[in-house]
Amino acid sequence: MDNRMENLKYSISEALELPKDIVMDLPKIIMVGNIQLNISNHKGIIEYSQDTLRVNSNIGIIKITGSNLKLKTILSEEIVVDGTIDGIEIIS
Amino acid sequence: MGTIKAWNFLKGYVIIKIEGLTLERFLNLAATNDIYLWDINRVDYTILEMKATIEGFRALKEIVNKVGCRVEIVEKRGLPFILYKLRYRKTLGIGFILFFAIIALLSSIIWDIEIIGNEKVKDEEILHLLKEEKIKEGIIKYRIDKDYVENLLLNEFDVFSFISVEIKGTKLIIEIKERDLPPEMIDEDIPTNIVAAKKGIIEKVIARNGKPKVRKGDVVEKGDVLISGIISDEFSENQILVHAEGEVFARTLYSYKVEEPIIKTIKEETGRVFERKEFKIGERGIQFIKGDIPFEDYVEETEEIKILNLDINLPFKILVHKYKEVETMEIKQDIELIKSSNHIKAVEELNKQLPLEVEIISKDVKHYVRDNVVTTYVIIEVIEDIGVKRPIN
């Protein structure tokens, strides 16, 4: 049932060229080089330290590793991370 | 980004330190409660450092209680805190306000009155008149009614045809256009003579009214009556006074002399320059002397150094006196060349002297070479109207 619903949403957004992050309620991750990362539509922080940041989202946990990680801003929809980013992992 | 920083500075913000074990929960709660936090850094496993607005900091207290961590203010930044501190430093605040007040006051005072374009009326006369109307250096510039000043000057001096009054910074600029006064007209009811304005030989007399007193070939001096306004009857002693009118053409001479030495001493710069600086405040100056001028013959030039290349009138000046070494040289010039250049110079001068409507009859050029000097006389003979109306007493 759930899967069918998702598929429907996907087809609609494909057909109408609507942004999928809005239609399917997915996180949007934007990276600027390896120095800044921007996650919108997150579901809260699970862990934050200077080396790792774990953010909850609809597709699972987004794990960002790096050094000197700083949270530039936190809003209910958006997180901006500054620092040197080494890796992004999605654990679903 | 810069505008956000400036905004935060104006609103004021605090750098806070949060100590606890469930710091992620704290961040999530802050985010869901729409509390704006930025530049969050995990200093230690149990310590977070971040920036928050003043209102944000107040709202955080609730969350802090819920999560169970400790909050500590590290630093307060921004304008509200600076102002708060200033309350305890009243003299500094007063000084600050005083500073701006003085600048505002001084820049609203007229410090200089400049008068441009007047030739027939002296500066002092205009300034005196303005002074009577209490317009002088040191008054507040907003008090000057420009239209009033313009009308005042136009009414007082007939010579002025146009006046513009302008305030530029602390300078009052009065720009004047003068009109050429028409020659004095004598009313036709007043009896007049026509007299000679200058020496000449009479060529033609056209008397439209009055009795001609001279004939062709007469030599007249300045002031002689040419056409008389007194008409007397042969048979009676009655005299009729009329307004004499007419033209009297006469031959007059214009001459000009030019002298030019054949051997000329010319001072030529050798290129060596000695400089002295001077600092001048008003009329007083200090010269910075470093040794005597090392030249025998020199010319002095004074230059003003413009500060920051601005064209403004400062009460102090920096002057540089340049002493340029010169060598005197004697140059022998060609006599023929001098003669022709003298001739041209004299004719140019004469052209300036000649009135507009004249007929040139002859031109005479004479050169004399005597004692190292070439003297050139140019004499021009012209026919012109020499008659001038004078009322009869």
Side-chain angles (χ1 to χ4, degrees):
Chain A
M1 180 71 185
D2 241 18
N3 218 356
R4 269 177 62 195
M5 197 65 187
E6 287 297 309
N7 279 338
L8 183 69
K9 277 186 184 172
Y10 184 84
S11 334
I12 290 169
S13 76
E14 269 301 271
L16 300 175
E17 288 184 21
L18 291 167
K20 289 179 196 70
D21 56 323
I22 291 164
V23 178
M24 297 173 77
D25 198 21
L26 297 173
K28 185 174 176 181
I29 305 170
I30 303 165
M31 259 185 99
V32 182
N34 63 345
I35 57 163
Q36 198 180 61
L37 190 120
N38 195 328
I39 307 170
S40 14
N41 203 8
H42 66 92
K43 294 278 178 277
I45 298 168
I46 296 169
E47 187 204 342
Y48 163 62
S49 71
Q50 289 204 344
D51 310 319
T52 38
L53 171 69
R54 287 197 291 154
V55 180
N56 202 3
S57 79
N58 268 359
I59 52 164
I61 295 165
I62 302 163
K63 185 184 174 190
I64 293 138
T65 47
S67 50
N68 285 325
L69 296 181
K70 279 178 192 172
L71 301 176
K72 204 154 173 125
T73 40
I74 301 182
L75 298 168
S76 52
E77 285 92 36
E78 195 180 16
I79 297 175
V80 182
V81 190
D82 261 8
T84 318
I85 294 151
D86 294 335
I88 307 176
E89 203 180 332
I90 296 165
I91 310 156
S92 46
Chain B
M1 234 21 226
T3 46
I4 294 170
K5 269 190 180 169
W7 177 245
N8 284 333
F9 178 80
L10 282 177
K11 293 274 282 178
Y13 62 90
V14 284
I15 300 175
I16 49 175
K17 207 188 247 179
I18 303 213
E19 215 172 335
L21 285 169
T22 50
L23 295 172
E24 281 83 8
R25 191 165 164 239
F26 166 82
L27 288 177
N28 287 330
L29 274 174
T32 45
N33 283 327
D34 278 333
I35 298 166
Y36 181 55
L37 301 171
W38 70 99
D39 287 354
I40 302 157
N41 189 17
R42 188 137 202 172
V43 183
D44 198 10
Y45 183 69
T46 55
I47 300 168
L48 267 183
E49 213 176 68
M50 67 192 76
K51 290 172 183 168
T53 58
I54 297 169
E55 299 91 66
F57 178 69
R58 285 202 192 106
L60 274 180
K61 280 188 178 156
E62 211 177 292
I63 300 165
V64 165
N65 285 336
K66 215 184 265 175
V67 179
C69 30
R70 277 211 328 236
V71 187
E72 197 186 313
I73 292 176
V74 180
E75 206 182 326
K76 293 170 177 171
R77 281 190 190 168
L79 200 62
F81 299 111
I82 292 171
L83 290 177
Y84 189 78
K85 271 185 204 163
L86 271 180
R87 286 214 303 215
Y88 297 100
R89 301 190 59 185
K90 275 182 185 137
T91 16
L92 184 72
I94 291 166
F96 214 69
I97 293 162
L98 218 63
F99 168 75
F100 282 108
I102 287 171
I103 282 189
L105 181 73
L106 290 184
S107 61
S108 61
I109 284 176
I110 295 290
W111 289 113
D112 195 12
I113 297 176
E114 200 178 319
I115 298 167
I116 312 168
N118 54 323
E119 282 170 7
K120 286 167 191 151
V121 183
K122 281 181 191 161
D123 281 6
E124 288 81 34
E125 282 179 56
I126 298 166
L127 288 175
H128 184 74
L129 181 75
L130 290 175
K131 211 170 229 176
E132 279 175 5
E133 295 294 324
K134 292 199 174 124
I135 294 168
K136 56 187 175 185
E137 284 104 341
I139 65 156
I140 306 286
K141 67 179 173 188
Y142 309 109
R143 275 206 204 145
I144 295 172
D145 184 355
K146 292 182 199 168
D147 294 338
Y148 175 73
V149 175
E150 280 172 21
N151 288 331
L152 177 83
L153 289 174
L154 281 174
N155 287 338
E156 190 67 25
F157 301 102
D158 292 336
V159 199
F160 298 165
S161 64
F162 170 77
I163 286 169
S164 99
V165 177
E166 204 184 344
I167 295 168
K168 234 181 192 174
T170 59
K171 203 188 229 180
L172 179 70
I173 299 170
I174 299 174
E175 211 181 323
I176 295 166
K177 292 261 149 63
E178 287 179 344
R179 80 173 116 226
D180 297 322
L181 275 184
E184 239 180 285
M185 293 293 283
I186 295 170
D187 205 55
E188 286 196 14
D189 298 335
I190 298 166
T192 53
N193 285 332
I194 286 183
V195 300
K198 57 177 82 164
K199 195 179 156 183
I201 302 161
I202 301 297
E203 194 66 26
K204 199 160 51 167
V205 181
I206 306 163
R208 280 197 288 273
N209 203 355
K211 194 178 173 190
K213 286 278 184 186
V214 286
R215 258 178 288 163
K216 185 183 174 179
D218 285 358
V219 177
V220 290
E221 293 290 331
K222 186 182 175 184
D224 285 357
V225 177
L226 305 174
I227 301 172
S228 172
I230 306 165
I231 298 170
S232 50
D233 203 327
E234 279 177 36
F235 307 109
S236 67
E237 291 195 350
N238 280 353
Q239 284 186 335
I240 308 162
L241 296 179
V242 294
H243 180 84
E245 219 169 320
E247 277 117 42
V248 181
F249 291 97
R251 283 166 189 258
T252 52
L253 295 178
Y254 287 86
S255 69
Y256 196 77
K257 188 173 92 173
V258 181
E259 279 178 344
E260 180 78 29
I262 299 168
I263 294 169
K264 212 178 181 183
T265 51
I266 288 180
K267 290 187 170 176
E268 200 169 298
E269 289 173 16
T270 57
R272 295 210 290 161
V273 181
F274 181 74
E275 281 185 7
R276 249 181 211 174
K277 288 206 173 80
E278 187 180 3
F279 186 71
K280 217 170 189 183
I281 302 174
E283 290 303 308
R284 290 163 191 225
I286 307 164
Q287 275 206 17
F288 300 102
I289 295 171
K290 37 171 188 185
D292 288 330
I293 301 155
F295 317 126
E296 266 183 33
D297 283 337
Y298 59 84
V299 280
E300 191 188 327
E301 260 176 41
T302 312
E303 236 173 64
E304 194 191 329
I305 294 181
K306 287 259 159 68
I307 294 153
L308 298 171
N309 261 335
L310 293 173
D311 193 22
I312 45 172
N313 236 340
L314 293 171
F316 57 87
K317 281 177 192 163
I318 298 169
L319 299 174
V320 176
H321 297 274
K322 279 188 177 164
Y323 301 96
K324 291 182 175 170
E325 192 189 21
V326 289
E327 245 176 78
T328 45
M329 284 200 292
E330 289 191 342
I331 291 177
K332 197 177 177 193
Q333 300 184 84
D334 185 37
I335 292 174
E336 286 308 311
L337 227 81
I338 296 173
K339 278 180 184 170
S340 62
S341 83
N342 276 359
H343 183 189
I344 292 165
K345 218 185 278 174
V347 170
E348 273 176 3
E349 280 302 318
L350 282 172
N351 274 337
K352 280 181 207 162
Q353 288 179 17
L354 286 180
L356 279 175
E357 288 165 24
V358 291
E359 191 190 331
I360 296 169
I361 303 168
S362 68
K363 189 175 87 179
D364 192 14
V365 185
K366 276 174 193 153
H367 300 286
Y368 300 99
V369 183
R370 205 183 300 138
D371 302 338
N372 183 28
V373 176
V374 180
T375 314
T376 307
Y377 291 98
V378 176
I379 298 157
I380 293 180
E381 197 177 7
V382 298
I383 291 181
E384 63 174 319
D385 185 4
I386 60 165
V388 175
K389 279 179 192 173
R390 283 285 144 77
I392 302 168
N393 298 327

